[in-house]
Amino acid sequence: FAPTARGDASDRTALCAAGFDEGLGKPLPMIAFQAATCRALGSDHARQRAGNNGDASVCATLPSWDDAAALLALKGEQSHVIALRSLFLDELADQCNTIERAFADGDVPRAVRTLHMLRASCGFVGAVRLAEAARVLEADPRSHFALGRLTAAARELLGSQATTSR
């Protein structure tokens, strides 16, 4: 597999044509890296997790928050994780509204740009389920199912504000 900043369908197709099994969009949560490694090695566990829904079912198995990933991204500074998660959650509803409005207006490029920024933010705060949902929607922006996954993951995080590590 190959990591890629874009991760859209044409980028993944080009990577596969170059001989890679798949392209993985960055930021790349550790759990996504592990799943890709399992798939590359032919792990039965990875195939079972992927099931018939591919990326969408893998998304459902991810935790909402990955504290270890957030701490790693922020050099072990718990206070930074707490502060960035607070800012992230404060802006999350607006980002989701921007994405939904862009799709409703038919402005797919704006939606994809916002999804890309959202994924980058998720990497710093350890919001792995939301990051994966954004990656899946960014790769297939016409998928109503993927948009529903993104919305559900965002609502779950917004509902967990009181339970985040503060």
Side-chain angles (χ1 to χ4, degrees), residues 39-129:
R39 286 190 301 274
L41 297 174
S43 167
D44 289 336
H45 177 69
R47 283 190 205 103
Q48 289 170 355
R49 284 183 66 182
N52 294 329
N53 294 326
D55 288 338
S57 66
V58 170
C59 179
T61 66
L62 294 172
S64 293
W65 295 112
D66 183 339
D67 293 330
L71 285 168
L72 182 63
L74 298 173
K75 300 185 183 197
E77 293 289 336
Q78 181 66 29
S79 61
H80 294 173
V81 172
I82 293 166
L84 280 180
R85 279 189 181 170
S86 179
L87 291 170
F88 174 82
L89 290 169
D90 287 347
E91 296 175 356
L92 182 56
D94 286 341
Q95 281 187 305
C96 289
N97 288 336
T98 298
I99 292 164
E100 289 175 0
R101 270 194 314 274
F103 281 128
D105 295 344
D107 190 350
V108 174
R110 186 178 82 191
V112 170
R113 280 192 309 274
T114 307
L115 284 164
H116 185 79
M117 290 185 291
L118 177 60
R119 279 195 312 117
S121 298
C122 288
F124 285 106
V125 298
V128 292
R129 184 179 301 166

